[in-house]
Amino acid sequence: MASVTIQGVKKKFGATDILHGVDIDIADGTFTVLVGPSGCGKSTLLRMIAGLEEITGGEIRIGDKRVNDLPPKERDIAMVFQNYALYPHMTVRDNMAFALMLAKQDKATIDAKVARAAEILALGALLDRYPRQLSGGQRQRVAMGRAIVRDPQVFLFDEPLSNLDAKLRVAMRSEIKELHQRLKTTSIYVTHDQIEAMTMGDKIVVMRDGRIEQTGSPLELYDHPANQFVAGFIGSPSMNFLPGILRRSADGLRVELADGTQLDAPPQSSGVDGQPVIFGTRPEHLTLVPEGAAHGGIPSRVVVMEPSGMDTFVACRHEGVELSAVFRERHDFAPGSTIHLQPDMKTAHLFSVDTGQRLAA
Amino acid sequence: MFDRFQNSRNALGLIFMLPAALLLLLFLTYPLGLGVWLGFTDAKVGRPGEWIGFENYVFIATDSVTQLALFNTLFYTTIASVLKFFLGLWLALLLNRNLRFKSFFRAVILLPYIVPTALSAIAFWWLFDAQFSIISWVLVKLGIIDTYIDFLGSPWNARFSVIAANVWRGVPFVAITLLAGLQTISPSYYEASAIDGATPWQQFRYVTLPLLTPIIAVVMTFSVLFTFTDFQLIYVITRGGPLNATHLMATLSFQRAISGGALGEGAAISIAMVPFLLAAIMFSYFGLQRRVWQQGGGDK
Ligand SMILES: Nc1ncnc2c1ncn2[C@@H]1O[C@H](COP(=O)(O)OP(=O)(O)O)[C@@H](O)[C@H]1O
Ligand SMILES: [Mg+2]
C-alpha cells in the first residue's frame, strides 16, 4: 500500500488544456473519489496515475517514488475499467491469473491467489467460464478479481458501476466499500455520480473543467460547500438557489428576494449590505409554514408532487425560479396551489453572485 | 393451417430464400455437375463423350505431368500463403499504428488488388524478362550480380518468380482484412494488459493474435482457395513452363481440355482439386473459426 501525491498536474491534448494544475494528497489506505460532471477530466487524471496517458506538467508520486516516466507495469497499480476490459478469449481463471503469469510466478502461487480472490468475490463457480457467459455484475466482479489478485499498491476504478442497472449498482457499491475495508488498499475511484461519491468515499475531490472545486470528506462537502457549484453538485435532489440582495442590520442578516420576501441568513456570513447574493437551501431543510400562520417563508406555487412512500418530493416555482422541497410527512397539495416554505437559517448558505464562492466568515 | 403458415417466421424466411436458393442451385450445381459428368467420359472438343468410368482418374493418377502439377500447386499454395500471411500481418500491424498519411498508405496498399490480374501479370512478365528485366538491371548496376537473372528460364527460378507475383497480388487482401480485424480489437485490452505487465510482444502473443484468429482463419481459407485454384497469373507469365515447372492443376486442366481438346481428362484434373479444397475448408471451419469464447451467453 502507498500514498499517492498529485502535484500541479497538467494535461494537454494537442493545444487543448484539459487539466489546469491539479493537487491532491491521497493518504495511504484511504478511499478517494474523484467526482465531477462528464468531460471534466476525471478519467484523464486517473489514466495519468495509471500511466496510460502522458503527464504534460507537474508530478505524480506513488509512495515516495516519482512515477511520471514509469510505464504502467512498473507503477504497481491495478485498474478496473468502465467496460471491464476482460480478455474475451480467456476464462475467468485465466483473466485473473494473467498478470501473475506474466510476472512468472509459479503455478501453485498463482492458483492460491486466484482461489483466494475468487473466494472473496464469490466467483468460485465461474472460474471456467468465458466473459461472454457472465452477467454484467459477474463481469464487474471478475474485473475486481483481476485487480486484487495482484495485491497492488493502489486500485484505480474508472466508473466501474455505470454499466450496471440501478439495483445492482447499489449492491456493488457496498461490496466495493466492504472490500476496501477488508483489504485496506489505497483506492482512487472515478465517478460522475455524486451519490456513489458520497456513499463510498473517505475523501471526495470535486472537479470541474479540469480544476478541483473542493476536496473534503462527504459531509464536509455537504455541509460546507466551498462554492455554488459544489453545493449544487453534491446532494440529491440538489440545493435550491434563490437570487436576492443582502441586508445587514443591527438585528442580524437577511436576504431580500425580488418579490420582497425576507429570509433569515446565517449570521456568520460575510458580505456587505446591498450586495447581490444567491441564497442556497437544501430541499430537506425547507419546512412548511402552517396554513393561516402569520407567516414568513417563500410563497411557492406547486408544480409537481412526487410521493415515494418514504418521503414526499414537491417541485415548486417561486418567481420563475425552480424550488424543490422534501418532506418526511405525507402531503397532498393540488398542483397550482401556493404553499409557504421556510428555510432553516442554520443550514442555509450565501454565495457571491460574481464568483460563486460561499460567503463564509 | 393457412393461419399457422402465415404466422410462421420460418415459412416466411423459406419463401424469401427460395429464389436465391434456386439461382444458386442452378448456377453452382450445373457447372459442377457437368464437370463431374465430363470427368467420367472421354469427351473431346466437338464430340460428346461416352461413359468410361474412372479411366481418366486412373490415367491422371499415373501421369507424371499431372503429378508434377499437383506438386507445383501444393508448393505454390503453401509458400505463397505463408508469405502472404506473414507479410499481410506485418503490413496490417504497421498500418494499424498511428502513422502520418495513414489513409494514403491504406489506399496505396490496395493498388495491387485493384489492377486487373492480367495486366499485373503482364507487368510481371516484363519484370521477369530475361533481357529487359528491371530487377536484373538494378542489381547489375549496383554491382551485386554480373549477368542478368533468367527468372523464368529454369524450373526453380520460375516457381519462385510466379510465387512472388502471386504474393504481390494477394497481400493487399490479407493485409486489409487483417487490418479491419485489428481495428475491432478494443484499445482497452491493450491498456489492461499494459497494466497487467505485458510487453509489446506479450500483448501481441496473448491479446492480438488470439483475438485475430477468427479473422485469420477466414482470410487464410480464402487465400488458400484462391491460390490453389490460381490460373491467370501463371497463364500469362509462364503458360506452365519451363518444362511444366509452373503448371498448376488449373492451368494443366485448361491446357488438356481446351488447348489439347481432351475435355474429359481436363475435367478430371479439375475435379481432382475438389478434395484438397474441401480439406482446406474443413480444416479452417472446424479447426480455427468458432471458438467457445466467441459463442454467446448462457450456461455451458
Ligand atoms: N485522447 C484524447 N484526445 C483529445 N481529447 C481528449 C482525449 N481524451 C479525453 N479528451 C478530452 O478531455 C476531456 C476530459 O475527458 P475525460 O477525462 O474522459 O472526462 P471524464 O471526466 O468524463 O472522465 C474531455 O473534454 C475529452 O473530450
Ligand atoms: Mg470518464
Side-chain angles (χ1 to χ4, degrees):
Chain A
M1 277 175 273
S3 59
V4 177
T5 315
I6 297 164
Q7 262 170 9
V9 163
K10 295 194 173 125
K11 178 69 185 176
K12 274 178 194 250
F13 281 116
T16 325
D17 284 309
I18 301 296
L19 295 177
H20 314 263
V22 169
D23 301 286
I24 309 175
D25 273 318
I26 292 164
D28 190 5
T30 55
F31 197 105
T32 301
V33 180
L34 306 182
V35 68
S38 199
C40 71
K42 319 176 286 287
S43 298
T44 304
L45 181 58
L46 195 75
R47 292 163 57 82
M48 287 161 84
I49 300 171
L52 299 173
E53 298 282 359
E54 262 179 57
I55 298 168
T56 313
E59 185 175 86
I60 295 181
R61 286 201 307 272
I62 297 178
D64 39 24
K65 196 163 57 170
R66 181 187 143 101
V67 297
N68 283 40
D69 304 312
L70 291 184
K73 64 172 177 164
E74 283 166 38
R75 298 188 182 198
D76 201 5
I77 43 105
M79 183 154 168
V80 177
F81 292 82
Q82 178 171 357
N83 63 0
Y84 316 137
L86 300 177
Y87 310 118
H89 55 292
M90 296 185 197
T91 58
V92 168
R93 185 194 309 280
D94 292 343
N95 262 286
M96 293 205 280
F98 187 59
L100 304 177
M101 181 206 73
L102 293 177
K104 302 219 161 49
Q105 303 204 356
D106 63 85
K107 180 120 183 25
T109 318
I110 295 179
D111 285 347
K113 286 185 177 173
V114 169
R116 196 180 79 100
E119 191 214 300
I120 293 175
L121 293 162
L123 287 170
L126 307 175
L127 283 177
D128 293 314
R129 294 223 197 150
Y130 289 94
R132 280 218 156 176
Q133 301 166 319
L134 303 177
S135 71
Q138 291 168 336
R139 282 180 211 181
Q140 216 285 321
R141 281 218 288 278
V142 177
M144 300 215 308
R146 194 166 67 174
I148 66 178
V149 285
R150 294 178 41 205
D151 193 18
Q153 301 271 353
V154 183
F155 284 136
L156 305 175
F157 298 88
D158 191 356
E159 312 226 6
L161 304 184
S162 54
N163 287 351
L164 303 179
D165 62 64
K167 200 164 172 181
L168 203 50
R169 206 176 307 163
V170 174
M172 288 306 298
R173 213 155 75 189
S174 34
E175 208 168 305
I176 293 179
K177 198 168 173 181
E178 199 186 317
L179 190 70
H180 176 254
Q181 282 159 6
R182 183 164 168 180
L183 301 175
K184 303 220 166 37
T185 307
T186 312
S187 304
I188 306 176
Y189 186 104
V190 159
T191 180
H192 65 270
D193 179 352
Q194 59 88 23
I195 298 200
E196 257 173 45
M198 292 294 285
T199 51
M200 299 176 77
D202 296 324
K203 174 154 128 180
I204 299 180
V205 178
V206 182
M207 293 179 62
R208 177 170 61 152
D209 293 341
R211 289 195 175 78
I212 292 180
E213 294 287 330
Q214 191 175 1
T215 305
S217 74
L219 294 183
E220 260 166 46
L221 298 195
Y222 193 84
D223 293 336
H224 306 288
N227 52 45
Q228 195 184 342
F229 174 77
V230 175
F233 190 78
I234 299 287
S236 170
S238 57
M239 190 182 278
N240 298 303
F241 296 114
L242 297 153
I245 306 288
L246 187 66
R247 298 283 176 223
R248 214 174 249 291
S249 66
D251 55 323
L253 212 54
R254 292 171 164 256
V255 171
E256 186 181 315
L257 302 186
D259 68 337
T261 308
Q262 304 272 326
L263 301 174
D264 289 330
Q268 70 279 17
S269 305
S270 59
V272 295
D273 187 44
Q275 178 184 354
V277 292
I278 303 284
F279 182 90
T281 176
R282 294 198 182 273
E284 67 270 29
H285 295 149
L286 288 170
T287 46
L288 193 64
V289 179
E291 203 85 29
H295 239 294
I298 310 161
S300 316
R301 196 162 48 78
V302 174
V303 180
V304 173
M305 297 280 306
E306 291 176 3
S308 76
M310 186 169 81
D311 46 28
T312 311
F313 174 86
V314 188
C316 316
R317 200 162 287 153
H318 165 79
E319 299 279 313
V321 182
E322 311 267 345
L323 203 61
S324 49
V326 176
F327 303 111
R328 306 298 325 221
E329 330 77 69
R330 298 190 177 182
H331 289 288
D332 193 12
F333 308 123
S337 62
T338 297
I339 56 176
H340 288 82
L341 298 168
Q342 180 66 57
D344 170 34
M345 175 183 60
K346 288 197 292 299
T347 54
H349 304 288
L350 297 186
F351 301 98
S352 154
V353 168
D354 304 325
T355 63
Q357 296 300 308
R358 186 159 62 97
L359 298 173
Chain B
M1 165 80 195
F2 185 68
D3 257 7
R4 256 191 44 211
F5 183 74
Q6 264 194 327
N7 286 331
S8 155
R9 293 171 58 90
N10 286 342
L12 201 66
L14 211 65
I15 290 171
F16 283 141
M17 260 172 47
L18 213 56
L22 281 177
L23 275 177
L24 269 181
L25 211 65
L26 197 68
F27 286 102
L28 273 182
T29 48
Y30 178 72
L32 195 64
L34 188 64
V36 172
W37 161 252
L38 281 175
F40 288 116
T41 69
D42 60 354
K44 296 256 187 293
V45 170
R47 189 193 79 186
E50 306 226 336
W51 179 267
I52 55 167
F54 282 93
E55 216 169 281
N56 284 327
Y57 291 96
V58 173
F59 171 72
I60 61 171
T62 55
D63 173 33
S64 66
V65 176
T66 314
Q67 283 167 357
L68 182 64
L70 177 61
F71 165 78
N72 290 338
T73 311
L74 291 174
F75 182 76
Y76 181 77
T77 308
T78 314
I79 304 291
S81 299
V82 169
L83 288 176
K84 275 187 275 194
F85 171 65
F86 283 107
L87 273 175
L89 184 59
W90 177 70
L91 274 175
L93 289 170
L94 215 61
L95 288 176
N96 197 37
R97 303 245 196 108
N98 268 325
L99 299 171
R100 250 133 75 73
F101 310 117
K102 187 152 75 178
S103 39
F104 172 74
F105 284 120
R106 284 184 187 171
V108 163
I109 199 148
L110 271 175
L111 274 181
Y113 197 58
I114 299 166
V115 180
T117 314
L119 194 66
S120 51
I122 289 172
F124 269 101
W125 191 49
W126 275 104
L127 280 180
F128 293 148
D129 190 274
Q131 287 166 45
F132 302 109
S133 165
I134 187 157
I135 303 173
S136 294
W137 182 80
V138 168
L139 291 177
V140 168
K141 284 282 171 204
L142 289 175
I144 294 169
I145 54 171
D146 329 312
T147 49
Y148 274 35
I149 303 169
D150 191 4
F151 286 105
L152 303 176
S154 77
W156 284 104
N157 276 359
R159 282 187 188 120
F160 284 111
S161 300
V162 290
I163 285 175
N166 177 278
V167 168
W168 180 81
R169 192 165 159 73
V171 154
F173 171 66
V174 177
I176 290 295
T177 317
L178 293 185
L179 177 62
L182 284 176
Q183 292 184 334
T184 64
I185 301 179
S186 158
S188 60
Y189 298 139
Y190 294 104
E191 294 179 346
S193 56
I195 290 177
D196 277 344
T199 60
W201 164 248
Q202 285 170 327
Q203 289 184 322
F204 176 76
R205 162 79 183 72
Y206 294 111
V207 177
T208 312
L209 209 52
L211 291 178
L212 206 56
T213 305
I215 307 247
I216 292 177
V218 174
V219 70
M220 288 321 292
T221 307
F222 276 103
S223 177
V224 164
L225 295 188
F226 291 147
T227 316
F228 196 89
T229 56
D230 198 6
F231 173 83
Q232 289 187 66
L233 271 179
I234 303 289
Y235 195 75
V236 176
I237 299 178
T238 65
R239 299 236 164 196
L243 304 170
N244 296 325
T246 58
H247 246 317
L248 303 183
M249 300 287 273
T251 53
L252 185 66
S253 161
F254 181 81
Q255 195 194 43
R256 292 275 165 88
I258 310 297
S259 320
L263 285 179
E265 200 183 309
I269 295 175
S270 278
I271 297 298
M273 293 163 75
V274 172
F276 292 97
L277 299 177
L278 278 182
I281 294 173
M282 303 287 249
F283 173 73
S284 122
Y285 187 79
F286 290 108
L288 297 168
Q289 276 190 27
R290 294 279 297 170
R291 297 293 176 100
V292 191
W293 59 265
Q294 290 179 277
Q295 275 144 28
D299 289 19
K300 268 204 287 192

